[in-house]
């Protein structure tokens, strides 16, 4: 990295907050993308750790004038290589911008800096007597800024949706260094094009979020978990829209293949509580009154039994609920060494079984084990492409291409949560026309005329 750039960064944020030592930089150039498909990181980088919007504005003004590439780094928990620098870059870490600025009870909003982690938010609202923030992707190291630009979802999306449903405003430093503000503590705002929503899901390519207003919700204090077992995988999937149509909206509905959960439990020295059947639906419930919790549980069990469920189990105590959640959350880490790619497609809920038929056909065609697991209540089942040692199989490109084509053919998307990042850019044309891609490129050019902010992420500009 050019010494002039390092010197300028030291002037802006102070010498102590510029990392130039390659050993320390190492942990900033990777994210949680599977190694077999992760972008090749560039080591010729420095890490800068500002604490104010003004410092970030100065960094971007300089970078834009001098044509220096900048990659923002949140918690580094992304799964699509978006935060990985692939050319010499200034890595701008938001880790020191970690203040929760205000919890406004009356307006039911929290104002916080972008580097606040999900863990920090959870801690804060565990202490709060009546309000909480609902979005919860699986890694609590994720930061608010990263969650916004990735439009994060997670298990609670069945009831609460994704980040897009809860971000009401933000402060943004543009790639050219100017600062703009969007929205606020507002429920309604119809003034002009909606830049708040353009930033949500922009994968760190249009601007740097420095602050955000997030909507809060009243807590319900009666939670419970249900595990309902099925012999037939299709029957388990079929029952999901039937439950939702009844007006029952659990926090989460997860599809868990038994083999997978037993492996995860084994790994943790625990036991998966369901024994009958081959697959489980895992419902997380959260109701205002204890009676409501029982009533909703009964209705779900009844509907599942009508659809062929062979067993059901209600976890009421904190310990029982925690154990199931822990095993579910460990599902991915328990096979991580063998995973080549976690696919993240989404299809309409009513088409999940058609999608799964496609997966079964491809498993046979490519002689591949492609287990499925995840957010069945949102149509967002994660499929794992797995090999014995996690190395990319020769037919990976064709296999994944066919999976994406099946999803898009059913009216779905190639990525529901993880984003395009730097690993799925070449697949965008499966979903979008050339005109659509042109509009995306045009938007990027308006925000970032010199293409200095996280280039080659999401959409590539020549
Ligand atoms: C075990 C595990 C489970 C997960 N489960 C889920 C899940 O259930 N649902 C889900 O949606 N995701 C999930 N994820 C993915 C990941 O946690 C989310 O994508 C998260 O939102 C990333 O946030 P981050 O702060 O780590 O971002 P990073 O990985 O640091 O960065 C991601 C992108 O955001 C940009 N960025 C970061 N901060 C800012 C900012 N302030 N301004 C502008 N751009 C910024 C970066 O430049 C990069 O392009 C999971 C990941 C792991 C490892």
């Amino acid at each position: 990295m050019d010494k002039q750039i390092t010197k300028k960064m030291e002037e802006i944020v102070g010498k102590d907050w510029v990392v130039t030592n390659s050993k320390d930089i190492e942990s900033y150039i990777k994210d949680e993308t599977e190694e077999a498909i992760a972008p090749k990181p560039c080591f010729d980088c420095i890490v800068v750790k500002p604490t104010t919007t003004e410092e970030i504005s100065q960094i971007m003004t300089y970078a834009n004038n001098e044509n220096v590439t900048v990659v923002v780094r949140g918690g580094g928990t992304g799964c699509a290589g978006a935060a990985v620098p692939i050319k010499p870059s200034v890595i701008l870490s938001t880790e020191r911008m970690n203040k929760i600025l205000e919890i406004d009870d009356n307006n039911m909003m929290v104002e916080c800096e972008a580097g606040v982690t999900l863990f920090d938010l959870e801690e804060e609202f565990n202490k709060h007597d009546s309000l909480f923030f609902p979005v919860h992707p699986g890694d609590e190291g994720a930061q608010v800024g990263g969650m916004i630009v990735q439009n994060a979802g997670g298990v609670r999306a069945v009831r609460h949706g994704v980040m897009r449903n809860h971000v009401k405003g933000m402060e943004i430093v543009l790639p050219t260094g100017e600062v703009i503000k969007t929205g606020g503590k507002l429920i309604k705002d119809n003034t002009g094009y909606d830049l708040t929503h353009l930033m949500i899901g922009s994968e760190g390519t249009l601007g740097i979020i420095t602050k955000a207003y997030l909507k809060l919700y009243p807590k319900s204090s009666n939670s419970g978990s249900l595990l309902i077992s099925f012999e037939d995988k299709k029957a388990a999937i079929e029952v999901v829209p039937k439950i939702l149509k009844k007006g029952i909206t659990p926090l989460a509905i997860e599809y868990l293949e038994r083999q997978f959960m037993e492996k995860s439990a084994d790994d943790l020295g625990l036991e998966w509580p369901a024994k009958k059947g081959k697959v489980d639906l895992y419902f997380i419930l959260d109701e205002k009154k204890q009676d409501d919790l029982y009533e909703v549980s009964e209705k779900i069990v009844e509907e599942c039994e009508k659809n062929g469920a062979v067993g059901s189990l209600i976890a009421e105590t904190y310990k029982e609920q925690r154990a199931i959640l822990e095993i579910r959350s460990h599902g991915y880490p328990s096979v991580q060494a063998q995973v080549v790619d976690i696919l993240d497609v989404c299809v309409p809920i009513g088409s999940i079984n058609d999608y799964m038929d496609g997966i079964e056909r491809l498993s046979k065609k490519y002689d591949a084990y492609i287990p499925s697991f995840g957010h069945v209540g949102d149509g967002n089942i994660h499929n794992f492409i797995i090999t014995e040692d996690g190395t990319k199989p020769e037919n990976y490109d064709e296999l994944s291409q066919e999976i994406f084509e099946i999803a898009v053919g059913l009216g779905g998307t190639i990525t529901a949560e993880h984003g395009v990042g730097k690993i799925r850019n070449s697949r965008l044309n499966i979903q979008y026309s050339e005109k659509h891609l042109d509009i995306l490129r045009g938007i990027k050019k308006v925000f970032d005329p010199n293409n200095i902010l996280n280039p080659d992420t999401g959409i590539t500009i020549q």
Side-chain angles (χ1 to χ4, degrees):
M1 175 63 53
D2 187 325
K3 287 207 166 47
Q4 274 307 107
I5 299 174
T6 306
K7 190 163 168 273
K8 183 69 188 176
M9 294 302 122
E10 288 174 351
E11 266 171 43
I12 297 173
V13 299
K15 211 170 166 36
D16 287 350
W17 304 110
V18 179
V19 181
T20 53
N21 173 326
S22 52
K23 190 101 202 75
D24 296 333
I25 289 172
E26 232 168 82
S27 60
Y28 287 88
I29 56 172
K30 289 184 189 158
D31 66 2
E32 292 294 330
T33 311
E34 301 311 319
E35 224 168 294
I37 56 160
K40 195 165 173 287
C42 172
F43 284 77
D44 186 10
C45 292
I46 57 170
V47 181
V48 184
K49 303 182 182 181
T51 46
T52 65
T53 303
E54 177 51 33
E55 285 174 358
I56 295 183
S57 169
Q58 286 179 36
I59 292 168
M60 294 316 296
T61 304
Y62 172 81
N64 189 49
N65 290 339
E66 302 299 323
N67 227 346
V68 176
T69 299
V70 177
V71 176
V72 189
R73 171 111 188 156
T77 68
C79 299
V84 176
I86 54 172
K87 52 173 78 167
S89 305
V90 168
I91 299 171
L92 191 158
S93 167
T94 45
E95 69 195 67
R96 295 174 68 221
M97 301 188 69
N98 56 4
K99 287 190 216 59
I100 295 179
L101 300 168
E102 186 195 13
I103 297 175
D104 182 338
D105 280 31
N106 276 344
N107 285 308
M108 296 168 70
M109 297 271 174
V110 55
E111 181 188 1
C112 63
E113 292 184 330
V116 168
T117 62
L118 179 59
F119 178 83
D120 296 334
L121 268 190
E122 286 282 305
E123 285 272 286
E124 189 65 35
F125 288 107
N126 281 342
K127 287 184 270 170
H128 198 281
D129 55 359
S130 59
L131 296 172
F132 85 116
F133 181 69
V135 181
H136 196 279
D139 190 322
E140 291 190 352
Q143 295 181 1
V144 166
M147 285 166 62
I148 294 174
V149 299
Q150 295 301 120
N151 190 20
V155 289
R156 299 174 187 164
V158 180
R159 181 178 291 173
H160 293 289
V162 293
M163 283 303 278
R164 190 173 295 288
N165 304 99
H166 314 287
V167 182
K168 295 298 168 189
M170 53 183 87
E171 179 183 78
I172 306 157
V173 178
L174 297 173
T176 42
E178 297 97 336
V179 179
I180 62 168
K181 291 186 178 155
T182 71
K185 297 177 189 174
L186 299 170
I187 302 301
K188 291 181 169 178
D189 179 6
N190 230 352
T191 321
Y193 296 137
D194 194 332
L195 298 186
T196 305
H197 280 272
L198 190 53
M199 286 302 292
I200 300 169
S202 62
E203 300 194 75
T205 62
L206 299 183
I208 301 171
I209 297 171
T210 47
K211 283 179 201 158
Y213 293 103
L214 308 176
K215 180 95 185 73
L216 301 173
Y217 298 83
K219 280 183 182 169
S220 330
S221 47
N222 294 284
S223 63
S225 303
L226 271 178
L227 263 189
I228 306 197
S229 310
F230 293 79
E231 198 63 52
D232 178 6
K233 296 179 179 182
K234 282 194 163 183
I237 290 169
E238 245 168 42
V239 82
V240 172
K242 291 183 184 172
I243 290 167
L244 296 173
K245 265 195 309 194
K246 281 195 165 309
I248 299 170
T249 314
L251 268 191
I253 313 179
E254 298 280 295
Y255 172 87
L256 306 176
E257 289 188 354
R258 181 66 56 77
Q259 211 185 340
F260 226 62
M261 288 302 100
E262 284 176 346
K263 162 98 179 61
S264 170
D266 218 38
D267 237 41
L268 292 167
L270 297 169
E271 198 175 339
W272 186 243
K275 302 292 172 210
K276 291 185 190 157
K278 290 199 181 73
V279 64
D280 300 297
L281 287 183
Y282 170 34
F283 296 84
I284 305 180
L285 307 172
D286 189 22
E287 302 296 327
K288 284 203 177 65
K289 296 195 218 122
Q290 188 76 7
D291 286 352
D292 294 346
L293 187 64
Y294 291 137
E295 196 186 322
V296 167
S297 305
E298 269 170 29
K299 281 188 183 159
I300 293 176
V301 171
E302 197 182 306
E303 200 58 39
C304 289
E305 282 176 349
K306 273 199 253 164
N307 233 58
V310 293
S312 61
L313 196 149
I314 300 179
E316 269 183 89
T317 65
Y318 177 75
K319 199 172 158 206
E320 289 167 333
Q321 292 182 44
R322 192 73 222 166
I324 296 174
L325 186 62
E326 198 183 341
I327 298 169
R328 184 265 175 236
S329 303
H330 190 67
Y332 162 59
S334 72
V335 290
Q336 196 169 12
Q338 287 102 52
V339 177
V340 175
D341 192 359
I342 311 176
L343 298 171
D344 167 46
V345 308
C346 184
V347 296
I349 297 175
S351 304
I352 300 177
N353 265 330
D354 295 334
Y355 170 72
M356 297 294 261
D357 284 344
I359 293 293
E360 206 173 311
R361 185 170 53 73
L362 295 180
S363 295
K364 288 187 188 132
K365 177 173 170 184
Y366 289 96
D367 190 22
Y369 172 48
I370 317 174
S372 313
F373 156 97
H375 317 314
V376 67
D378 315 323
N380 176 207
I381 297 238
H382 295 299
N383 289 105
F384 294 78
I385 296 181
I386 281 184
T387 56
E388 239 164 66
D389 58 359
T391 50
K392 194 153 87 169
E394 259 173 39
N395 55 21
Y396 164 79
D397 285 344
E398 297 93 296
L399 170 59
S400 51
Q401 176 82 7
E402 282 203 52
I403 295 178
F404 293 139
E405 284 171 357
I406 289 171
V408 172
L410 291 167
T413 174
I414 63 169
T415 172
E417 298 187 322
H418 298 166
V420 176
K422 293 187 180 78
I423 61 169
R424 312 231 189 267
N425 323 44
S426 65
R427 314 298 184 108
L428 274 177
N429 61 1
I430 303 173
Q431 194 171 329
Y432 292 150
S433 67
E434 196 43 43
K435 180 66 195 171
H436 195 134
L437 296 176
D438 244 7
I439 293 172
L440 299 188
R441 287 186 202 105
I443 292 171
K444 169 71 174 163
K445 282 181 190 158
V446 168
F447 277 78
D448 185 10
N450 296 320
N451 197 22
I452 56 153
L453 186 61
N454 210 354
D456 298 317
T457 304
I459 188 84
T460 301
I461 307 283
Q462 297 316 325

